[in-house]
Amino acid sequence: MSAQLHPRWRLCPMHPSHLDEVMAIERRGYPFPWTRGIFEDCLRVGYSCWLATDTVGRGLGYGVMTMAVGEAHLLNLCVDPSRQRQGLARHLLDHLVDIARHADTEQLFLEVRGSNLAALALYAAYGFVQVGVRPGYYPAEQGREDARVLSLYIGGRR
């Protein structure tokens, strides 16, 4: 699938050569970032991994999703903190949902920290609904934090 065009942003399939830039965004975006090895594994096994760049190719954010047996799972969606609140997360999410829909998946799932109010607002506005809670799923400054499990019915191409 080709990347969608946008006047300010471009989306391209993530490649191992992007990982230095991806890791820099990941570290700025999360208090408990993924390791480089996790991203390498996602690329190696063929997950749908996308990098959002500005018009000159600087990385601004990314999304990682897996699909199997009629389901998609959004594993990571991150926008550099300096570029948040400009619509880029929604742009990435639109792209990933479109990929999942064209792969005939029916449901898209994700986990999100209950304290991540901006992400919760984005997902609620998009139509995600909470379908569960994973107690102690995320590391936190003190102990662990629950994850809210969200789902979006996308219906595939049928």
Side-chain angles (χ1 to χ4, degrees), residues 1-157:
M1 173 166 289
S2 64
Q4 296 175 348
L5 296 177
H6 188 278
R8 294 182 291 168
W9 308 308
R10 294 200 167 80
L11 297 176
C12 64
M14 193 185 294
H15 184 270
S17 65
H18 298 132
L19 290 183
D20 287 343
E21 204 162 19
V22 167
M23 287 306 304
I25 296 167
E26 176 79 0
R27 287 185 194 110
R28 287 190 295 271
Y30 295 119
F32 300 93
W34 276 12
T35 65
R36 184 182 189 96
I38 293 172
F39 284 103
E40 289 170 344
D41 287 346
C42 290
L43 291 170
R44 181 179 48 76
V45 299
Y47 289 173
S48 187
C49 303
W50 293 85
L51 178 68
T53 67
D54 61 16
T55 57
V56 295
R58 287 181 297 244
L60 306 174
Y62 52 84
V64 177
M65 179 177 67
T66 183
M67 295 174 286
V69 195
E71 290 184 4
H73 195 123
L74 181 58
L75 302 174
N76 196 336
L77 181 71
C78 184
V79 172
D80 191 293
S82 69
R83 299 302 185 117
Q84 292 176 356
R85 306 229 183 259
Q86 298 174 20
L88 182 54
R90 174 72 185 232
H91 184 64
L92 274 161
L93 188 55
D94 284 342
H95 184 68
L96 293 166
V97 167
D98 189 51
I99 290 168
R101 185 174 287 121
H102 283 87
D104 258 351
T105 61
E106 293 185 12
Q107 294 281 124
L108 174 59
F109 294 94
L110 61 86
E111 290 89 14
V112 62
R113 288 177 183 271
S115 63
N116 190 342
L117 300 181
L120 287 167
L122 168 69
Y123 297 134
Y126 209 91
F128 281 84
V129 295
Q130 184 169 328
V131 295
V133 174
R134 296 193 196 281
Y137 187 78
Y138 290 109
E141 289 298 326
Q142 302 221 350
R144 309 281 301 175
E145 181 176 355
D146 294 349
R148 295 185 186 185
V149 181
L150 307 182
S151 176
L152 177 71
Y153 176 76
I154 55 177
R157 292 183 287 184

